[in-house]
Amino acid sequence: QRHEAPFMPLHAGRAAHTAHWSMTPRFPIRAAVLLSGALLTGPGAAAQTAAPSVTFQPFVSGLTQVTAITHAGDGSGRLFVTQQDGRVRVVTGGRVQPQVFLDLRSLTRAGGERGLLGLAFDPAFKTIRRLYVHYTDRSGNTVLARYVAASSGTTADPASAKTLFTA
């Protein structure tokens, strides 16, 4: 009996719903190994070029323990930078703005793999102003929380916090 599934039956019981399937592929493993070898050593493999040279240039100063850099997708051109100590800072035109966008230092403790770890903006941030932060609380628990930015968009409202997940 021929089966159209990518794996062949190991044992078929009395009824179709009791069939057991093995993880034995229909084609020989030897053919797969030969095919992968041909792909790896094909015509493009001989024409490999040297790795490109990469250099890094600072584009802003005044930030420490940066854990993430993102944008809000709102067309403002601002970059949002999370610092492990719990602050979200805004970079505009290559300069760190003096006002902190969101300050979670009272909720987290920086060190090792703890602190403010991530930031994401809702795809509709421009209209609904929601953002999400990932941090560890003072007990070391992982927290995912949602905040809402002020209508001016220059800060997030700490009172708007809604914890979505804690583990």
Side-chain angles (χ1 to χ4, degrees):
Q1 181 179 11
R2 185 165 179 90
H3 296 274
E4 295 304 316
F7 300 101
M8 299 297 287
L10 178 63
H11 169 74
R14 289 183 209 125
H17 68 276
T18 62
H20 298 280
W21 295 87
S22 77
M23 297 303 285
T24 306
R26 286 194 295 181
F27 56 89
I29 293 180
R30 188 176 309 155
V33 170
L34 291 173
L35 177 60
S36 64
L39 292 173
L40 292 174
T41 59
Q48 291 181 3
T49 59
S53 175
V54 177
T55 58
F56 295 97
Q57 295 180 351
F59 71 97
V60 69
S61 62
L63 298 168
T64 59
Q65 297 178 307
V66 172
T67 56
I69 301 174
T70 191
H71 63 89
D74 61 355
S76 67
R78 299 176 295 172
L79 290 177
F80 294 81
V81 179
T82 59
Q83 293 181 267
Q84 193 175 15
D85 70 358
R87 292 178 289 173
V88 177
R89 305 295 302 272
V90 178
V91 176
T92 306
R95 295 178 189 252
V96 178
Q97 299 305 300
Q99 185 174 23
V100 175
F101 183 76
L102 180 61
D103 191 343
L104 303 176
R105 287 181 288 184
S106 64
L107 303 177
T108 189
R109 180 175 298 132
E113 295 183 9
R114 293 184 177 194
L116 177 55
L117 304 174
L119 170 69
F121 288 88
D122 191 289
F125 176 77
K126 189 172 185 174
T127 56
I128 63 172
R129 303 184 327 266
R130 286 187 186 160
L131 58 130
Y132 302 87
V133 293
H134 169 218
Y135 65 92
T136 55
D137 65 17
R138 292 191 163 269
S139 299
N141 299 309
T142 296
V143 177
L144 176 64
R146 181 182 69 211
Y147 286 82
V148 178
S151 58
S152 66
T154 57
T155 60
D157 179 8
S160 70
K162 177 170 175 66
T163 300
L164 305 174
F165 175 84
T166 301

